DNA sequence: ATATGTGAAACTGTTCACAGCC
DNA sequence: GGCTGTGAACAGTTTCACATAT
């Protein structure tokens, strides 16, 4: 996430936004400058919209037609004020005194997230993770069909995984162009990641989901999001360490068993909940 | 990242840290209070420290003994001011006019992240993702040995995956306690995730990495981090959509081929780079 | 000379609290 | 009465810029 991510935006390469805000040279208290237009939606809010969408889909399936911000917030693991503010970024689709119509909200969030048009995905690196991704049969609740698989291993060429035959990474440009791939998921080891990334970019792919432990260098028009297992583990480690030195030791666990919904789970980018992970085993 | 980064930290349930900082009741300008120690470190900075650590490890292997904040920052994909501030949270281990000693920094970051003591990991849900995790042979660059595997499937019981035999989820409390598991990685489908989570909590596990698309409800002393594939995809989708409507269309891709290191990759929680993903295929 | 460490400014994101509409 | 939508206060994070140390 995140140069937009959650912590979002890096400092560099953000010439665009910087430039536009340099309109008035005046000193003192600067007036907000309203010309900022509507396209803003904070990155963090975008991530949460995806979560709300999942919850709403669940409600829709259960024939629930209306929800209040409070109900939806609890289900999504955020507080209601934040949820309302997030929804306000995409428009006013609620009814005061009543709540939101599930179907309407689903439609509006899907539209905002661009889910009305499909994004074909290419998975590169057909190992364990690649398999998991390929078998995911259209990522979230459909909308992201896996259209191409690539690897280096000669033994895998042509072998169908999740119904799609594996191609050689050398064919990335051709195959991606042919199948109109818009998102590339790099699930290779660190070593080949940058090379694969370059090929994807050359093929016109402008959105990449990177699972490899490297900092990909890409032209600025390419959006890269990274999922880093090690970082997650180390963050948890930090909390383990902090906890054990901070607490004089009052707990020995055994009191907090089953249903005690208190603290929130922090998602990598939402600070909260989920939407659709990876199907692994029924 | 993400958050994650990110936006990290929720507002609720943060009583602990609040309470501890209430030591001096004095008003006015509060003196830094040296006893403030390490506990402050912004979440966002913690995530990035893990990234710096990876880069530093690489430098260490290549026999590089010293780095400037600028060099390290470029390699990690952040700007140098942010990097220096991040490092300042853990202490002053640089030399003005010179830079940082790689070995020293590695040691300090490891200490801060609690990597000096091992965290044994249990993986629940031995499907594709579970396999990937189990075979990861100690997550990042070691430090997170996988000590237990669980699943529901009778056919898997006792079968060794990555050298560790699979146990039944019913045995989570016993096995986790026996093997002193401190981190649980939930790689099950959405359905069983909350149940598995409850068992882990009952077993005394207080840190959970959740790959299942559900909002886990846990007691507040339990830390949950979530990796959500669908959210990542949908965020990318949002950017695809935004891009194509925002740009009057000046690009047709073909100009930004290989080596053009410009924009940064946003990690789910660092806003930047990587540390160690998942080994998939050599 | 050069590069760190850090207050202070700027910015982004979150929460409060209430006006406005049902 | 209940609930949305949102300005304003607040909190967290990033960037600036420079004093400080080698």
């Amino acid at each position: 996430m995140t140069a937009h991510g959650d912590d979002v935006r890096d400092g560099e390469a953000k010439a665009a936004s910087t430039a536009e805000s340099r309109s008035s040279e005046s000193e003192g208290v600067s007036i907000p400058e309203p010309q900022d237009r509507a396209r803003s939606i904070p990155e963090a809010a975008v991530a949460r919209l995806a979560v709300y969408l999942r919850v709403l889909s669940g409600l829709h399936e259960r024939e629930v037609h209306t929800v209040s911000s409070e109900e939806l917030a609890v289900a999504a693991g955020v507080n209601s004020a934040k949820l309302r503010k997030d929804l306000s970024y995409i428009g006013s689709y609620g009814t005061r005194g009543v709540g939101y119509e599930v179907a309407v909200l689903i439609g509006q969030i899907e539209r905002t997230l661009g889910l009305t048009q499909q994004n074909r995905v290419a998975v590169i690196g057909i190992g364990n993770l690649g398999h998991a991704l390929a078998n995911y049969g259209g990522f979230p609740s459909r909308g992201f069909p896996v259209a191409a698989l690539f690897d280096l291993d000669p033994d895998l060429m042509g072998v169908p995984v999740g119904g799609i035959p594996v191609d050689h990474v050398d064919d990335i440009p051709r195959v991606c162009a042919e199948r109109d791939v818009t998102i590339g998921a790099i699930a290779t080891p660190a070593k080949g990641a940058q090379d694969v990334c370059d090929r994807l970019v050359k093929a016109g792919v402008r959105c990449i989901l990177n699972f490899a432990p490297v900092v990909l260098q890409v032209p600025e028009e390419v959006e890269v999001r990274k999922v880093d297992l090690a970082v997650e583990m180390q963050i948890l480690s930090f909390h383990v360490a902090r906890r054990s030195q901070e607490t004089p030791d009052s707990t020995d666990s055994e009191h907090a068993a089953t249903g005690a919904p208190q603290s929130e789970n922090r998602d990598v980018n939402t600070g909260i909940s989920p939407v659709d992970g990876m199907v692994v085993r029924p």
Side-chain angles (χ1 to χ4, degrees), chain A residues 1-4 6-7 10 43 113 127 153 187 189 213 215-216 221 223 225-226 228 232 237 239 243 265 268-269 271 273-277 280-281:
Chain A
M1 230 171 2
T2 315
H4 324 329
D6 356 49
D7 28 40
D10 291 291
E43 272 293 313
L113 297 180
D153 192 339
V215 185
L216 295 177
E221 73 271 18
E223 175 87 14
R225 290 196 64 87
K226 218 175 74 55
D228 198 318
E232 296 302 325
S237 171
H239 290 293
R243 231 181 281 279
N265 317 339
V268 211
N269 28 247
S273 74
V275 165
D276 218 349
V280 175
R281 185 155 272 279

PDB file of all heavy atoms in Angstrom, chain A residues 1-4 6-7 10 43 113 127 153 187 189 213 215-216 221 223 225-226 228 232 237 239 243 265 268-269 271 273-277 280-281:
ATOM      1  N   MET A   1       0.103  -0.445   0.000  1.00  0.00           N
ATOM      2  CA  MET A   1       0.000   0.000   0.000  1.00  0.00           C
ATOM      3  C   MET A   1       0.195   0.843   0.000  1.00  0.00           C
ATOM      4  O   MET A   1       0.129   0.954   0.276  1.00  0.00           O
ATOM      5  CB  MET A   1      -0.498  -0.377   0.532  1.00  0.00           C
ATOM      6  CG  MET A   1      -0.971  -0.603   0.879  1.00  0.00           C
ATOM      7  SD  MET A   1      -1.248  -0.857   1.196  1.00  0.00           S
ATOM      8  CE  MET A   1      -1.288  -1.181   1.527  1.00  0.00           C
ATOM      9  N   THR A   2       1.026   1.570  -1.049  1.00  0.00           N
ATOM     10  CA  THR A   2       0.865   2.525  -0.268  1.00  0.00           C
ATOM     11  C   THR A   2       1.450   3.705  -0.572  1.00  0.00           C
ATOM     12  O   THR A   2       1.511   4.428   0.052  1.00  0.00           O
ATOM     13  CB  THR A   2       1.278   2.098   0.909  1.00  0.00           C
ATOM     14  OG1 THR A   2       0.920   1.094   1.160  1.00  0.00           O
ATOM     15  CG2 THR A   2       0.983   2.229   1.826  1.00  0.00           C
ATOM     16  N   ALA A   3       1.830   4.131  -1.472  1.00  0.00           N
ATOM     17  CA  ALA A   3       2.259   5.402  -1.724  1.00  0.00           C
ATOM     18  C   ALA A   3       1.169   5.996  -1.770  1.00  0.00           C
ATOM     19  O   ALA A   3       0.904   6.924  -2.007  1.00  0.00           O
ATOM     20  CB  ALA A   3       2.741   5.575  -2.967  1.00  0.00           C
ATOM     21  N   HIS A   4       0.688   5.219  -1.421  1.00  0.00           N
ATOM     22  CA  HIS A   4      -0.475   5.398  -1.465  1.00  0.00           C
ATOM     23  C   HIS A   4      -0.857   4.347  -0.719  1.00  0.00           C
ATOM     24  O   HIS A   4      -1.003   3.561  -0.797  1.00  0.00           O
ATOM     25  CB  HIS A   4      -0.841   5.171  -2.728  1.00  0.00           C
ATOM     26  CG  HIS A   4      -0.072   5.507  -3.602  1.00  0.00           C
ATOM     27  ND1 HIS A   4       0.511   5.986  -3.918  1.00  0.00           N
ATOM     28  CD2 HIS A   4       0.336   5.518  -4.533  1.00  0.00           C
ATOM     29  CE1 HIS A   4       1.090   6.230  -4.845  1.00  0.00           C
ATOM     30  NE2 HIS A   4       1.014   5.990  -5.172  1.00  0.00           N
ATOM     31  N   ASP A   6      -1.325   3.066   2.986  1.00  0.00           N
ATOM     32  CA  ASP A   6      -1.838   3.494   4.063  1.00  0.00           C
ATOM     33  C   ASP A   6      -1.078   4.324   4.620  1.00  0.00           C
ATOM     34  O   ASP A   6      -1.245   5.269   5.054  1.00  0.00           O
ATOM     35  CB  ASP A   6      -1.960   2.560   4.929  1.00  0.00           C
ATOM     36  CG  ASP A   6      -1.722   1.667   4.659  1.00  0.00           C
ATOM     37  OD1 ASP A   6      -1.487   1.776   4.560  1.00  0.00           O
ATOM     38  OD2 ASP A   6      -1.971   0.865   4.637  1.00  0.00           O
ATOM     39  N   ASP A   7       0.031   4.093   4.612  1.00  0.00           N
ATOM     40  CA  ASP A   7       0.768   5.129   5.016  1.00  0.00           C
ATOM     41  C   ASP A   7       0.948   5.836   3.867  1.00  0.00           C
ATOM     42  O   ASP A   7       1.333   6.853   3.785  1.00  0.00           O
ATOM     43  CB  ASP A   7       1.962   4.741   5.492  1.00  0.00           C
ATOM     44  CG  ASP A   7       2.423   3.741   5.072  1.00  0.00           C
ATOM     45  OD1 ASP A   7       2.356   3.536   4.209  1.00  0.00           O
ATOM     46  OD2 ASP A   7       2.932   3.144   5.693  1.00  0.00           O
ATOM     47  N   ASP A  10       4.510   8.274  -1.017  1.00  0.00           N
ATOM     48  CA  ASP A  10       5.900   8.531  -0.733  1.00  0.00           C
ATOM     49  C   ASP A  10       6.111   9.968  -1.092  1.00  0.00           C
ATOM     50  O   ASP A  10       5.279  10.609  -1.674  1.00  0.00           O
ATOM     51  CB  ASP A  10       6.789   7.710  -1.616  1.00  0.00           C
ATOM     52  CG  ASP A  10       6.677   6.288  -1.228  1.00  0.00           C
ATOM     53  OD1 ASP A  10       7.153   5.962  -0.144  1.00  0.00           O
ATOM     54  OD2 ASP A  10       6.117   5.548  -1.988  1.00  0.00           O
ATOM     55  N   GLU A  43      -6.547   7.175  -0.008  1.00  0.00           N
ATOM     56  CA  GLU A  43      -6.157   5.790  -0.257  1.00  0.00           C
ATOM     57  C   GLU A  43      -6.716   4.851   0.804  1.00  0.00           C
ATOM     58  O   GLU A  43      -7.203   3.768   0.512  1.00  0.00           O
ATOM     59  CB  GLU A  43      -4.630   5.667  -0.244  1.00  0.00           C
ATOM     60  CG  GLU A  43      -3.961   5.913  -1.564  1.00  0.00           C
ATOM     61  CD  GLU A  43      -4.302   4.819  -2.580  1.00  0.00           C
ATOM     62  OE1 GLU A  43      -4.227   3.628  -2.256  1.00  0.00           O
ATOM     63  OE2 GLU A  43      -4.633   5.199  -3.706  1.00  0.00           O
ATOM     64  N   LEU A 113     -14.784   1.509  -7.404  1.00  0.00           N
ATOM     65  CA  LEU A 113     -13.569   0.696  -7.455  1.00  0.00           C
ATOM     66  C   LEU A 113     -13.253   0.192  -8.868  1.00  0.00           C
ATOM     67  O   LEU A 113     -12.255  -0.491  -9.072  1.00  0.00           O
ATOM     68  CB  LEU A 113     -13.683  -0.499  -6.496  1.00  0.00           C
ATOM     69  CG  LEU A 113     -13.807  -0.168  -5.008  1.00  0.00           C
ATOM     70  CD1 LEU A 113     -13.901  -1.448  -4.191  1.00  0.00           C
ATOM     71  CD2 LEU A 113     -12.599   0.649  -4.546  1.00  0.00           C
ATOM     72  N   GLY A 127       4.626 -21.395  -8.332  1.00  0.00           N
ATOM     73  CA  GLY A 127       5.052 -22.271  -7.241  1.00  0.00           C
ATOM     74  C   GLY A 127       3.859 -22.452  -6.334  1.00  0.00           C
ATOM     75  O   GLY A 127       2.718 -22.419  -6.791  1.00  0.00           O
ATOM     76  N   ASP A 153      10.324 -22.580 -15.498  1.00  0.00           N
ATOM     77  CA  ASP A 153      10.475 -24.032 -15.554  1.00  0.00           C
ATOM     78  C   ASP A 153       9.913 -24.674 -16.820  1.00  0.00           C
ATOM     79  O   ASP A 153       8.712 -24.631 -17.067  1.00  0.00           O
ATOM     80  CB  ASP A 153       9.772 -24.617 -14.325  1.00  0.00           C
ATOM     81  CG  ASP A 153      10.107 -26.088 -14.135  1.00  0.00           C
ATOM     82  OD1 ASP A 153      10.527 -26.734 -15.120  1.00  0.00           O
ATOM     83  OD2 ASP A 153       9.953 -26.567 -13.004  1.00  0.00           O
ATOM     84  N   ALA A 187       4.723 -13.591  -8.260  1.00  0.00           N
ATOM     85  CA  ALA A 187       4.855 -14.542  -7.156  1.00  0.00           C
ATOM     86  C   ALA A 187       6.143 -15.339  -7.331  1.00  0.00           C
ATOM     87  O   ALA A 187       6.213 -16.503  -6.974  1.00  0.00           O
ATOM     88  CB  ALA A 187       3.637 -15.465  -7.129  1.00  0.00           C
ATOM     89  N   PRO A 189      10.461 -15.811  -6.855  1.00  0.00           N
ATOM     90  CA  PRO A 189      11.423 -15.518  -5.781  1.00  0.00           C
ATOM     91  C   PRO A 189      11.980 -14.124  -6.058  1.00  0.00           C
ATOM     92  O   PRO A 189      11.785 -13.586  -7.158  1.00  0.00           O
ATOM     93  CB  PRO A 189      12.507 -16.572  -5.982  1.00  0.00           C
ATOM     94  CG  PRO A 189      11.937 -17.595  -6.894  1.00  0.00           C
ATOM     95  CD  PRO A 189      10.883 -16.921  -7.696  1.00  0.00           C
ATOM     96  N   PRO A 213      10.075 -10.321  -2.361  1.00  0.00           N
ATOM     97  CA  PRO A 213      10.729  -9.424  -1.403  1.00  0.00           C
ATOM     98  C   PRO A 213      11.770  -8.521  -2.035  1.00  0.00           C
ATOM     99  O   PRO A 213      12.942  -8.576  -1.685  1.00  0.00           O
ATOM    100  CB  PRO A 213      11.347 -10.398  -0.410  1.00  0.00           C
ATOM    101  CG  PRO A 213      11.664 -11.599  -1.229  1.00  0.00           C
ATOM    102  CD  PRO A 213      10.551 -11.696  -2.234  1.00  0.00           C
ATOM    103  N   VAL A 215      12.256  -4.357  -3.866  1.00  0.00           N
ATOM    104  CA  VAL A 215      11.647  -3.073  -4.174  1.00  0.00           C
ATOM    105  C   VAL A 215      11.687  -2.954  -5.681  1.00  0.00           C
ATOM    106  O   VAL A 215      12.750  -2.782  -6.267  1.00  0.00           O
ATOM    107  CB  VAL A 215      12.465  -1.907  -3.590  1.00  0.00           C
ATOM    108  CG1 VAL A 215      11.723  -0.600  -3.821  1.00  0.00           C
ATOM    109  CG2 VAL A 215      12.714  -2.122  -2.126  1.00  0.00           C
ATOM    110  N   LEU A 216      10.576  -3.060  -6.303  1.00  0.00           N
ATOM    111  CA  LEU A 216      10.538  -2.967  -7.752  1.00  0.00           C
ATOM    112  C   LEU A 216      10.711  -1.532  -8.209  1.00  0.00           C
ATOM    113  O   LEU A 216      10.137  -0.614  -7.632  1.00  0.00           O
ATOM    114  CB  LEU A 216       9.208  -3.516  -8.284  1.00  0.00           C
ATOM    115  CG  LEU A 216       8.961  -5.004  -8.061  1.00  0.00           C
ATOM    116  CD1 LEU A 216       7.588  -5.382  -8.573  1.00  0.00           C
ATOM    117  CD2 LEU A 216      10.040  -5.845  -8.726  1.00  0.00           C
ATOM    118  N   GLU A 221       4.109   5.804 -13.991  1.00  0.00           N
ATOM    119  CA  GLU A 221       2.705   5.557 -14.329  1.00  0.00           C
ATOM    120  C   GLU A 221       2.250   4.165 -13.903  1.00  0.00           C
ATOM    121  O   GLU A 221       1.081   3.819 -14.027  1.00  0.00           O
ATOM    122  CB  GLU A 221       2.449   5.777 -15.829  1.00  0.00           C
ATOM    123  CG  GLU A 221       3.003   4.707 -16.749  1.00  0.00           C
ATOM    124  CD  GLU A 221       4.431   5.009 -17.173  1.00  0.00           C
ATOM    125  OE1 GLU A 221       5.083   5.847 -16.499  1.00  0.00           O
ATOM    126  OE2 GLU A 221       4.887   4.410 -18.153  1.00  0.00           O
ATOM    127  N   GLU A 223       1.524   1.372 -11.121  1.00  0.00           N
ATOM    128  CA  GLU A 223       1.147   1.278  -9.712  1.00  0.00           C
ATOM    129  C   GLU A 223       1.563  -0.098  -9.185  1.00  0.00           C
ATOM    130  O   GLU A 223       1.202  -1.119  -9.749  1.00  0.00           O
ATOM    131  CB  GLU A 223      -0.381   1.413  -9.604  1.00  0.00           C
ATOM    132  CG  GLU A 223      -0.956   1.229  -8.231  1.00  0.00           C
ATOM    133  CD  GLU A 223      -0.967   2.528  -7.441  1.00  0.00           C
ATOM    134  OE1 GLU A 223      -0.782   3.603  -8.060  1.00  0.00           O
ATOM    135  OE2 GLU A 223      -1.150   2.466  -6.223  1.00  0.00           O
ATOM    136  N   ARG A 225       1.679  -2.569  -5.778  1.00  0.00           N
ATOM    137  CA  ARG A 225       1.325  -2.806  -4.381  1.00  0.00           C
ATOM    138  C   ARG A 225       2.080  -4.040  -3.964  1.00  0.00           C
ATOM    139  O   ARG A 225       2.254  -4.963  -4.738  1.00  0.00           O
ATOM    140  CB  ARG A 225      -0.181  -3.012  -4.204  1.00  0.00           C
ATOM    141  CG  ARG A 225      -0.957  -1.721  -4.426  1.00  0.00           C
ATOM    142  CD  ARG A 225      -2.358  -1.816  -3.893  1.00  0.00           C
ATOM    143  NE  ARG A 225      -2.370  -2.002  -2.454  1.00  0.00           N
ATOM    144  CZ  ARG A 225      -2.344  -1.012  -1.573  1.00  0.00           C
ATOM    145  NH1 ARG A 225      -2.295   0.221  -1.965  1.00  0.00           N
ATOM    146  NH2 ARG A 225      -2.359  -1.266  -0.297  1.00  0.00           N
ATOM    147  N   LYS A 226       2.547  -4.025  -2.728  1.00  0.00           N
ATOM    148  CA  LYS A 226       3.366  -5.126  -2.291  1.00  0.00           C
ATOM    149  C   LYS A 226       2.776  -5.822  -1.082  1.00  0.00           C
ATOM    150  O   LYS A 226       2.249  -5.189  -0.194  1.00  0.00           O
ATOM    151  CB  LYS A 226       4.757  -4.631  -1.942  1.00  0.00           C
ATOM    152  CG  LYS A 226       5.858  -5.596  -2.344  1.00  0.00           C
ATOM    153  CD  LYS A 226       7.220  -4.998  -2.089  1.00  0.00           C
ATOM    154  CE  LYS A 226       7.488  -5.014  -0.612  1.00  0.00           C
ATOM    155  NZ  LYS A 226       7.343  -6.376  -0.059  1.00  0.00           N
ATOM    156  N   ASP A 228       4.038  -8.259   1.753  1.00  0.00           N
ATOM    157  CA  ASP A 228       5.295  -8.762   2.266  1.00  0.00           C
ATOM    158  C   ASP A 228       5.142  -9.542   3.562  1.00  0.00           C
ATOM    159  O   ASP A 228       4.990  -8.993   4.633  1.00  0.00           O
ATOM    160  CB  ASP A 228       6.228  -7.573   2.473  1.00  0.00           C
ATOM    161  CG  ASP A 228       7.669  -7.995   2.590  1.00  0.00           C
ATOM    162  OD1 ASP A 228       7.937  -9.011   3.264  1.00  0.00           O
ATOM    163  OD2 ASP A 228       8.521  -7.323   2.006  1.00  0.00           O
ATOM    164  N   GLU A 232       5.184  -8.471   7.704  1.00  0.00           N
ATOM    165  CA  GLU A 232       4.065  -8.760   8.602  1.00  0.00           C
ATOM    166  C   GLU A 232       4.540  -9.521   9.831  1.00  0.00           C
ATOM    167  O   GLU A 232       4.166  -9.215  10.959  1.00  0.00           O
ATOM    168  CB  GLU A 232       3.003  -9.595   7.871  1.00  0.00           C
ATOM    169  CG  GLU A 232       2.353  -8.886   6.710  1.00  0.00           C
ATOM    170  CD  GLU A 232       1.681  -7.602   7.126  1.00  0.00           C
ATOM    171  OE1 GLU A 232       1.130  -7.531   8.225  1.00  0.00           O
ATOM    172  OE2 GLU A 232       1.720  -6.642   6.330  1.00  0.00           O
ATOM    173  N   SER A 237       6.265  -9.641  15.495  1.00  0.00           N
ATOM    174  CA  SER A 237       7.366  -9.893  16.420  1.00  0.00           C
ATOM    175  C   SER A 237       7.591  -8.688  17.325  1.00  0.00           C
ATOM    176  O   SER A 237       7.778  -8.811  18.535  1.00  0.00           O
ATOM    177  CB  SER A 237       8.647 -10.189  15.625  1.00  0.00           C
ATOM    178  OG  SER A 237       9.767 -10.227  16.491  1.00  0.00           O
ATOM    179  N   HIS A 239       5.442  -6.560  18.226  1.00  0.00           N
ATOM    180  CA  HIS A 239       4.388  -6.483  19.233  1.00  0.00           C
ATOM    181  C   HIS A 239       4.528  -7.542  20.310  1.00  0.00           C
ATOM    182  O   HIS A 239       4.221  -7.301  21.464  1.00  0.00           O
ATOM    183  CB  HIS A 239       3.017  -6.556  18.557  1.00  0.00           C
ATOM    184  CG  HIS A 239       2.698  -5.332  17.762  1.00  0.00           C
ATOM    185  ND1 HIS A 239       2.494  -4.107  18.347  1.00  0.00           N
ATOM    186  CD2 HIS A 239       2.606  -5.112  16.426  1.00  0.00           C
ATOM    187  CE1 HIS A 239       2.269  -3.194  17.417  1.00  0.00           C
ATOM    188  NE2 HIS A 239       2.333  -3.774  16.229  1.00  0.00           N
ATOM    189  N   ARG A 243       4.980  -6.363  24.078  1.00  0.00           N
ATOM    190  CA  ARG A 243       4.015  -6.849  25.044  1.00  0.00           C
ATOM    191  C   ARG A 243       4.710  -7.477  26.250  1.00  0.00           C
ATOM    192  O   ARG A 243       4.416  -7.140  27.382  1.00  0.00           O
ATOM    193  CB  ARG A 243       3.165  -7.929  24.386  1.00  0.00           C
ATOM    194  CG  ARG A 243       1.709  -7.738  24.531  1.00  0.00           C
ATOM    195  CD  ARG A 243       1.002  -8.888  23.865  1.00  0.00           C
ATOM    196  NE  ARG A 243       0.931  -8.751  22.418  1.00  0.00           N
ATOM    197  CZ  ARG A 243       0.026  -8.003  21.804  1.00  0.00           C
ATOM    198  NH1 ARG A 243      -0.855  -7.328  22.504  1.00  0.00           N
ATOM    199  NH2 ARG A 243      -0.003  -7.935  20.502  1.00  0.00           N
ATOM    200  N   ASN A 265      -8.843  -5.765  14.243  1.00  0.00           N
ATOM    201  CA  ASN A 265      -7.712  -6.331  13.532  1.00  0.00           C
ATOM    202  C   ASN A 265      -7.257  -5.251  12.575  1.00  0.00           C
ATOM    203  O   ASN A 265      -8.054  -4.635  11.919  1.00  0.00           O
ATOM    204  CB  ASN A 265      -8.126  -7.510  12.658  1.00  0.00           C
ATOM    205  CG  ASN A 265      -9.080  -8.421  13.360  1.00  0.00           C
ATOM    206  OD1 ASN A 265      -9.139  -8.406  14.584  1.00  0.00           O
ATOM    207  ND2 ASN A 265      -9.837  -9.185  12.608  1.00  0.00           N
ATOM    208  N   VAL A 268      -3.609  -4.821   6.591  1.00  0.00           N
ATOM    209  CA  VAL A 268      -2.448  -4.175   6.046  1.00  0.00           C
ATOM    210  C   VAL A 268      -2.782  -2.805   5.510  1.00  0.00           C
ATOM    211  O   VAL A 268      -2.029  -1.865   5.665  1.00  0.00           O
ATOM    212  CB  VAL A 268      -1.904  -5.014   4.912  1.00  0.00           C
ATOM    213  CG1 VAL A 268      -0.425  -4.856   4.840  1.00  0.00           C
ATOM    214  CG2 VAL A 268      -2.285  -6.453   5.112  1.00  0.00           C
ATOM    215  N   ASN A 269      -3.906  -2.694   4.882  1.00  0.00           N
ATOM    216  CA  ASN A 269      -4.187  -1.375   4.349  1.00  0.00           C
ATOM    217  C   ASN A 269      -5.476  -0.728   4.789  1.00  0.00           C
ATOM    218  O   ASN A 269      -5.682   0.439   4.535  1.00  0.00           O
ATOM    219  CB  ASN A 269      -4.143  -1.390   2.823  1.00  0.00           C
ATOM    220  CG  ASN A 269      -4.490  -2.736   2.304  1.00  0.00           C
ATOM    221  OD1 ASN A 269      -3.636  -3.397   1.738  1.00  0.00           O
ATOM    222  ND2 ASN A 269      -5.715  -3.164   2.511  1.00  0.00           N
ATOM    223  N   GLY A 271      -6.705  -1.186   8.051  1.00  0.00           N
ATOM    224  CA  GLY A 271      -6.678  -0.966   9.469  1.00  0.00           C
ATOM    225  C   GLY A 271      -7.793  -1.809  10.054  1.00  0.00           C
ATOM    226  O   GLY A 271      -8.131  -1.712  11.197  1.00  0.00           O
ATOM    227  N   SER A 273     -10.638  -5.022   8.491  1.00  0.00           N
ATOM    228  CA  SER A 273     -11.118  -6.323   8.170  1.00  0.00           C
ATOM    229  C   SER A 273     -10.684  -6.970   6.870  1.00  0.00           C
ATOM    230  O   SER A 273      -9.540  -6.992   6.529  1.00  0.00           O
ATOM    231  CB  SER A 273     -12.613  -6.261   8.166  1.00  0.00           C
ATOM    232  OG  SER A 273     -12.993  -5.588   6.997  1.00  0.00           O
ATOM    233  N   PRO A 274     -11.610  -7.567   6.156  1.00  0.00           N
ATOM    234  CA  PRO A 274     -11.243  -8.405   5.063  1.00  0.00           C
ATOM    235  C   PRO A 274     -12.213  -8.329   3.934  1.00  0.00           C
ATOM    236  O   PRO A 274     -13.232  -7.724   3.994  1.00  0.00           O
ATOM    237  CB  PRO A 274     -11.407  -9.732   5.670  1.00  0.00           C
ATOM    238  CG  PRO A 274     -12.634  -9.537   6.468  1.00  0.00           C
ATOM    239  CD  PRO A 274     -12.734  -8.097   6.802  1.00  0.00           C
ATOM    240  N   VAL A 275     -11.923  -9.031   2.939  1.00  0.00           N
ATOM    241  CA  VAL A 275     -12.804  -9.077   1.806  1.00  0.00           C
ATOM    242  C   VAL A 275     -12.807 -10.441   1.165  1.00  0.00           C
ATOM    243  O   VAL A 275     -13.831 -11.017   0.917  1.00  0.00           O
ATOM    244  CB  VAL A 275     -12.379  -8.063   0.758  1.00  0.00           C
ATOM    245  CG1 VAL A 275     -13.065  -8.350  -0.544  1.00  0.00           C
ATOM    246  CG2 VAL A 275     -12.780  -6.689   1.234  1.00  0.00           C
ATOM    247  N   ASP A 276     -11.700 -10.946   0.901  1.00  0.00           N
ATOM    248  CA  ASP A 276     -11.629 -12.248   0.278  1.00  0.00           C
ATOM    249  C   ASP A 276     -10.172 -12.609   0.193  1.00  0.00           C
ATOM    250  O   ASP A 276      -9.406 -11.962  -0.468  1.00  0.00           O
ATOM    251  CB  ASP A 276     -12.220 -12.197  -1.121  1.00  0.00           C
ATOM    252  CG  ASP A 276     -12.986 -13.442  -1.427  1.00  0.00           C
ATOM    253  OD1 ASP A 276     -12.858 -14.396  -0.629  1.00  0.00           O
ATOM    254  OD2 ASP A 276     -13.662 -13.493  -2.422  1.00  0.00           O
ATOM    255  N   GLY A 277      -9.813 -13.609   0.881  1.00  0.00           N
ATOM    256  CA  GLY A 277      -8.403 -13.937   0.910  1.00  0.00           C
ATOM    257  C   GLY A 277      -8.040 -14.909  -0.146  1.00  0.00           C
ATOM    258  O   GLY A 277      -8.056 -14.613  -1.320  1.00  0.00           O
ATOM    259  N   VAL A 280      -8.016 -21.985   0.320  1.00  0.00           N
ATOM    260  CA  VAL A 280      -6.945 -22.930   0.473  1.00  0.00           C
ATOM    261  C   VAL A 280      -7.374 -24.367   0.628  1.00  0.00           C
ATOM    262  O   VAL A 280      -6.804 -25.270   0.057  1.00  0.00           O
ATOM    263  CB  VAL A 280      -6.092 -22.559   1.691  1.00  0.00           C
ATOM    264  CG1 VAL A 280      -5.053 -23.602   1.930  1.00  0.00           C
ATOM    265  CG2 VAL A 280      -5.434 -21.228   1.435  1.00  0.00           C
ATOM    266  N   ARG A 281      -8.395 -24.545   1.386  1.00  0.00           N
ATOM    267  CA  ARG A 281      -8.802 -25.916   1.667  1.00  0.00           C
ATOM    268  C   ARG A 281     -10.136 -25.905   2.379  1.00  0.00           C
ATOM    269  O   ARG A 281     -10.286 -25.280   3.414  1.00  0.00           O
ATOM    270  CB  ARG A 281      -7.746 -26.565   2.563  1.00  0.00           C
ATOM    271  CG  ARG A 281      -7.975 -28.016   2.825  1.00  0.00           C
ATOM    272  CD  ARG A 281      -6.678 -28.668   3.150  1.00  0.00           C
ATOM    273  NE  ARG A 281      -6.019 -29.120   1.954  1.00  0.00           N
ATOM    274  CZ  ARG A 281      -6.339 -30.259   1.348  1.00  0.00           C
ATOM    275  NH1 ARG A 281      -7.297 -31.002   1.833  1.00  0.00           N
ATOM    276  NH2 ARG A 281      -5.715 -30.639   0.278  1.00  0.00           N
TER     277      ARG A 281
END
